[in-house]
Amino acid sequence: LKIYKVAPTSMISLIKESRCLIYSLLIFFSMMPSSDGTCFSMGGMQCTPSPRSDCNRTISVRAYLGETMFLSLEACTKFSSSVRAGYPKIGYDEDPGMPNAASLSNPAFHNVTFRNALGLEYDGPEMYTAVNLTWQPGCFLDSQQKYYDIHFSATNYDGIATYKLRIHIEYPQPNFVDPNISSITTRVGCSERIITLVHQEGWSVSQNQYYSPQIVLAVSSSFFNRPGKSIPVANLSGASFSVINLPEENRSLALFEWTPQRGQEAQDYIICINLIDFCAYTEVQSVCVNITVLKCQVCIARGETMQSVAANFNTDFLSLYTMNVAIQRPHRISSGTVLNTGVYYKVQLGDTLATLSSKFFTNEQAIFAMNPDIAASKYQSDSTVPGDRICLSVPVCSVQCAYGTTCSLQGVQTGGLIGATSS
């Protein structure tokens, strides 16, 4: 009586470890004698050395960019008097070959001998060959190719058996989540915030840089009087941009915060948050928000008063208050309150900086400070730009007019107050 130990046919197990995926694919090509020659048992089916179509099954596994995949393959030769003993050889077909940068280890051999209770060998040995496939998909892959096939083969003296493996590649595909693209109108000193969420499918499975999307800020601006001529802004003063990664939720949070500063008013800003995957496989996606910073108005910051604002704009408390009469308690203003810092004037034909300065008791430097969109070269003594709206801070309370005709500046603004009079 001869007792044969039946070898396992095939088994696939997936072991997930932190930072890497290990596929343990144990393929037992069981080589045993039969009435029609040596055959191979794969997945419970008997396959001849030239396997039938039902023996050429394809096993599928999944791989992530940046994750190292380990694949273990093992083939076995069953001992029999009709089979020449020998370790099977494991290889792969040149067509389709193996993916770029994949490697197959040198074979490892071992055998199993079966003994009875007396220690006598009654069957065997079974001769095993094992190899390991190692591969880390990276940005060198063609994003149009969704999977890679490898055809493994195990051979011994009696024949050959094949095993087909298909590796599906999970490419990162980040997307914005319900982006808010509403336009914003603001003033100097007012804090604004833009928050966008990015969803990255599969990030929680594969937590590596390949699944960390690239989120980049791009800013451009154009002056009110030059619409359509937007120019890039390398460093936006008063702004901050940060990205918070939340891989457990498959998301990233992009946060743009900005408090416009003096000199940034009278402009339209286009704030774009650009999104692309780590390997730049996908098209750039953008969420753009238009922010308009008005001139002639500011937001009161914590600790500021109407007097300190008046001093910053080269005027006095009373003149500033005449432009903000709706404020009931001018001596105690809460932060965030919007103040008018001047009045609008529409440039008329014949106006120059000199005539405007004389007419409104100001000077060219003060006009430019209130109107960053006005270029000095536009207002020479021999040229005017009718139709422009400029902001002017008029010293109402320090101007006196004789009989309503001849007016003169009677006081000098110092620290937001009217100082000594002058003729």
Side-chain angles (χ1 to χ4, degrees):
L1 177 63
K2 266 199 154 185
I3 301 176
Y4 289 89
K5 180 178 176 67
V6 179
T9 54
S10 65
M11 175 181 68
I12 301 177
S13 63
L14 174 62
I15 304 172
K16 177 185 173 186
E17 295 185 352
S18 61
R19 311 301 295 176
C20 70
L21 295 178
I22 299 179
Y23 291 99
S24 179
L25 184 57
L26 304 181
I27 308 171
F28 290 93
F29 300 95
S30 181
M31 305 180 180
M32 299 174 293
S34 67
S35 58
D36 57 353
T38 302
C39 64
F40 308 94
S41 175
M42 298 198 314
M45 296 180 296
Q46 295 296 314
C47 301
T48 64
S50 298
R52 303 187 305 272
S53 59
D54 60 350
C55 294
N56 289 327
R57 295 189 307 169
T58 299
I59 300 299
S60 296
V61 295
R62 183 177 297 177
Y64 295 87
L65 291 184
E67 298 296 332
T68 301
M69 186 184 72
F70 299 95
L71 185 66
S72 298
L73 302 98
E74 193 170 54
C76 171
T77 295
K78 284 289 193 177
F79 176 80
S80 174
S81 58
S82 64
V83 179
R84 295 185 182 183
Y87 289 100
K89 295 180 179 179
I90 300 178
Y92 62 91
D93 295 346
E94 292 185 1
D95 185 14
M98 287 203 304
N100 186 24
S103 62
L104 202 62
S105 69
N106 293 326
F109 308 99
H110 73 279
N111 58 66
V112 176
T113 302
F114 302 102
R115 300 180 184 275
N116 59 20
L118 300 176
L120 299 177
E121 181 178 331
Y122 62 84
D123 191 16
E126 292 180 351
M127 311 185 77
Y128 292 87
T129 302
V131 296
N132 295 318
L133 171 70
T134 304
W135 186 39
Q136 184 184 72
C139 293
F140 53 81
L141 299 181
D142 181 0
S143 61
Q144 300 302 315
Q145 189 162 350
K146 303 303 181 184
Y147 60 84
Y148 289 83
D149 287 332
I150 307 176
H151 296 171
F152 292 103
S153 61
T155 60
N156 67 358
Y157 179 83
D158 294 284
I160 181 172
T162 61
Y163 199 94
K164 296 181 179 180
L165 175 71
R166 174 161 291 181
I167 305 174
H168 293 270
I169 308 299
E170 292 292 329
Y171 293 101
Q173 295 181 339
N175 292 287
F176 287 108
V177 179
D178 298 328
N180 181 8
I181 54 176
S182 302
S183 298
I184 298 174
T185 299
T186 189
R187 291 97 177 154
V188 169
C190 297
S191 297
E192 303 297 340
R193 173 181 291 187
I194 300 174
I195 301 176
T196 59
L197 282 175
V198 173
H199 177 74
Q200 173 63 73
E201 188 65 42
W203 196 0
S204 60
V205 176
S206 181
Q207 299 182 25
N208 66 66
Q209 61 179 356
Y210 290 88
Y211 286 80
S212 176
Q214 301 183 64
I215 305 176
V216 182
L217 181 71
V219 180
S220 59
S221 68
S222 61
F223 286 108
F224 288 171
N225 63 339
R226 292 201 300 263
K229 296 182 179 179
S230 184
I231 58 174
V233 178
N235 296 303
L236 187 62
S237 178
S240 65
F241 181 70
S242 59
V243 176
I244 303 172
N245 291 326
L246 306 170
E248 294 79 8
E249 302 178 14
N250 288 344
R251 290 186 174 188
S252 291
L253 186 147
L255 175 61
F256 171 80
E257 296 180 295
W258 183 35
T259 303
Q261 312 292 305
R262 285 290 303 276
Q264 295 176 330
E265 60 267 50
Q267 298 184 62
D268 286 316
Y269 294 84
I270 301 176
I271 312 298
C272 289
I273 299 176
N274 299 324
L275 170 65
I276 193 170
D277 65 279
F278 182 85
C279 293
Y281 283 144
T282 57
E283 295 290 334
V284 176
Q285 303 175 58
S286 299
V287 169
C288 295
V289 178
N290 185 279
I291 299 181
T292 298
V293 183
L294 301 178
K295 59 184 178 181
C296 266
Q297 288 184 327
V298 297
C299 283
I300 289 288
R302 185 180 299 275
E304 285 189 320
T305 63
M306 286 193 70
Q307 181 179 336
S308 64
V309 173
N312 291 335
F313 284 87
N314 196 31
T315 186
D316 60 87
F317 174 90
L318 291 178
S319 296
L320 183 63
Y321 179 65
T322 60
M323 294 178 283
N324 297 274
V325 293
I327 296 178
Q328 298 179 354
R329 304 173 67 185
H331 62 288
R332 185 177 296 176
I333 305 178
S334 58
S335 60
T337 301
V338 176
L339 287 182
N340 298 314
T341 58
V343 294
Y344 278 112
Y345 171 79
K346 187 175 182 179
V347 175
Q348 306 297 314
L349 183 64
D351 283 339
T352 65
L353 284 178
T355 59
L356 291 174
S357 299
S358 176
K359 182 185 297 186
F360 294 101
F361 301 97
T362 184
N363 54 66
E364 296 182 8
Q365 290 72 24
I367 293 177
F368 289 136
M370 298 286 288
N371 301 271
D373 54 327
I374 304 300
S377 59
K378 293 182 61 178
Y379 287 90
Q380 304 297 334
S381 58
D382 56 350
S383 64
T384 58
V385 182
D388 277 352
R389 297 177 73 233
I390 63 175
C391 179
L392 296 170
S393 178
V394 181
V396 177
C397 296
S398 55
V399 173
Q400 293 184 1
C401 298
Y403 308 108
T405 55
T406 303
C407 300
S408 60
L409 186 64
Q410 299 298 314
V412 178
Q413 293 80 26
T414 303
L417 300 175
I418 300 177
T421 59
S422 60
S423 58

